[in-house]
């Protein structure tokens, strides 16, 4: 077993401890995460039980280590709306993507707070990239990063694989280091501009999810599946679905919107949405008013499903268990997605 793979296995093992409600790390996670994330305790439990990636296959682990060694990176999701200006082309003095042949001496990780379980994969990729890792957690939600780093620093197997890891209030990369940033596009541009020549950057930026309900899909089954994805992390992830394109005519989209609202209402009884801040509440009221004017709006205590039966453009709702439903064909789907 390579040292990089051994280090990744240690991260997964630490994640299993956090997923276990009977482990001290698991108990601490469940105590701290509701306040840090504004998720309900029920949603925190589901996140740790179902969405923490603690059972990767051998093939998945091997692929992760190989990609980290090669400098390959998953493309960042599309930003929320057209970019304010195009990204500048790299020059010799600017950060570049990871070099495909040499491991960097250090890997710096900058984490966001959108998805409370995301630190596990980010740290796994980092320890596969370099034996020396420093992690800057989100100030809003440092919980999982703190627990993982604590477990790894006390793990003799991680140390035997040459692994060292630490939390830092700010990153200070040197030439030759690699920096992994999980943040908004604006934050990524800011960090990229401060990196020294020769540093490498892997950026994972702003995004949102779109669901496509195929013509042959069962409406009830599709609505049930989509509701689970919407409720996860209260829809804050970069892949959380916020738009549903329903292939077929407007009546089929309307039927799906009603079914989705019903599923979200049932789900909210078992897994209530966490509290919303004032800005999100205001965005939600604006979205409700917009969809009421466009077509229909199904609103519950913990969700909103908007319907536009004749869409000229996609309306993106806020990340608050709100889904925008539109009818689509292959041709209109391409037109609707093009601006994004």
């Amino acid at each position: 077993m390579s040292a990089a793979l051994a280090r990744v296995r240690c991260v997964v093992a630490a994640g299993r401890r956090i997923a276990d409600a009977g482990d001290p790390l698991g108990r601490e996670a469940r105590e701290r995460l509701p306040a840090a994330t504004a998720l309900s305790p029920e949603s925190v439990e589901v996140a740790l039980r179902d969405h923490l990636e603690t059972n990767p296959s051998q093939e998945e682990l091997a692929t992760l280590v190989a990609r980290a060694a090669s400098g390959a990176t998953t493309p960042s999701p599309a930003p929320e709306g057209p970019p304010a200006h195009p990204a500048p082309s790299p020059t010799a003095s600017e950060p570049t993507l990871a070099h495909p042949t040499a491991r960097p001496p250090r890997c710096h990780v900058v984490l966001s707070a959108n998805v409370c379980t995301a630190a596990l994969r980010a740290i796994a990729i980092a320890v596969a990239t370099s034996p020396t890792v420093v992690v800057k957690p989100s100030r809003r939600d440092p919980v999982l990063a703190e627990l993982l780093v604590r477990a790894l620093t006390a793990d003799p197997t991680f140390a035997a694989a040459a692994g060292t890891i630490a939390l830092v209030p700010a990153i200070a990369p040197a030439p030759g280091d690699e920096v992994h940033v999980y943040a908004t596009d604006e934050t990524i541009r800011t960090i990229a501009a401060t990196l020294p020549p020769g540093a490498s950057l892997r950026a994972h930026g702003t995004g949102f999810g779109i669901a496509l309900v195929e013509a042959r899909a069962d409406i009830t089954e599709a609505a049930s599946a989509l509701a689970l994805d919407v409720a996860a992390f209260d829809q804050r992830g970069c892949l959380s679905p916020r738009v549903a394109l329903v292939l077929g005519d407007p009546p089929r989209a309307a039927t799906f919107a009603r079914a989705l609202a019903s599923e979200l209402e049932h789900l909210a009884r078992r897994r209530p949405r966490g509290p919303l801040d004032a800005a999100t509440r205001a965005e939600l009221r604006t979205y409700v008013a917009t969809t009421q004017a466009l077509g229909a709006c199904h609103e519950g205590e913990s969700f909103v499903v908007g319907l536009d039966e004749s869409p000229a453009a996609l309306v993106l709702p806020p990340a608050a268990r709100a889904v925008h439903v539109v009818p689509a064909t292959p041709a209109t789907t391409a037109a609707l997605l093009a601006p994004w």
Side-chain angles (χ1 to χ4, degrees):
M1 181 192 305
S2 71
L5 179 57
R7 293 192 296 270
V8 172
R9 288 185 180 278
C10 290
V11 176
V12 174
R16 290 197 185 106
R17 291 187 58 193
I18 295 170
D20 182 358
D23 187 282
L25 289 181
R27 289 196 296 271
E28 183 176 343
R30 287 159 174 81
E31 291 168 0
R32 296 175 60 191
L33 280 171
T37 62
L39 295 174
S40 67
E42 295 88 347
S43 289
V44 167
E45 181 60 38
V46 171
L48 297 179
R49 185 189 69 214
D50 297 344
H51 298 292
L52 197 61
E53 298 174 299
T54 56
N55 292 294
S57 68
Q58 300 301 320
E59 182 180 359
E60 288 166 340
L61 289 174
T63 298
L64 184 149
V65 172
R67 284 178 175 269
S70 69
T73 181
T74 302
S76 299
E80 296 189 9
H85 52 79
S89 300
T91 68
S93 63
E94 292 177 334
T96 59
L97 288 179
H99 194 279
T101 58
R103 289 188 183 274
R106 285 167 298 278
C107 183
H108 307 254
V109 184
V110 179
L111 296 172
S112 72
N114 289 356
V115 173
C116 63
T117 61
L120 189 146
R121 187 192 293 199
I123 290 175
I125 294 171
V127 303
T129 300
S130 173
T132 302
V133 174
V134 293
V135 180
K136 179 188 178 299
S138 164
R139 290 190 298 272
R140 289 186 291 132
D141 177 16
V143 176
L144 210 80
E146 290 177 355
L147 296 179
L148 288 170
V149 170
R150 186 193 308 167
L152 291 171
T153 54
D155 185 348
T157 304
F158 186 71
T164 62
I165 189 168
L167 295 171
V168 295
I171 61 170
D177 289 354
E178 188 164 307
V179 181
H180 299 182
V181 182
Y182 302 81
T184 65
D185 296 347
E186 180 181 4
T187 298
I188 289 168
R189 285 192 289 267
T190 299
I191 292 175
T194 66
L195 297 184
S200 302
L201 175 66
R202 296 195 199 187
H204 305 265
T206 305
F208 66 94
I210 293 176
L212 180 67
V213 182
E214 295 182 327
R216 65 177 181 271
D218 178 89
I219 289 293
T220 302
E221 291 179 359
S224 178
L226 184 58
L228 291 172
D229 283 348
V230 170
F233 311 106
D234 281 358
Q235 206 184 19
R236 297 179 198 146
C238 64
L239 295 179
S240 294
R242 289 160 70 181
V243 173
L245 304 175
V246 182
L247 292 184
D249 57 17
R252 187 168 191 263
T255 300
F256 179 80
R258 289 191 296 271
L260 179 59
S262 177
E263 292 291 338
L264 287 170
E265 185 169 16
H266 290 314
L267 194 57
R269 296 169 189 161
R270 307 191 309 271
R271 198 190 312 174
R273 185 180 63 192
L276 303 180
D277 58 32
T280 303
R281 286 197 301 271
E283 287 182 62
L284 203 56
R285 298 320 308 164
T286 299
Y287 174 71
V288 167
T290 299
T291 53
Q292 286 173 338
L294 287 174
C297 183
H298 306 280
E299 184 177 9
E301 190 172 333
S302 293
F303 71 90
V304 172
V305 177
L307 172 67
D308 182 356
E309 293 187 340
S310 303
L314 288 182
V315 178
L316 187 66
R321 297 200 192 183
V323 184
H324 191 64
V325 177
V326 300
T329 67
T332 60
T333 293
L336 289 170
L337 296 183
W340 297 93

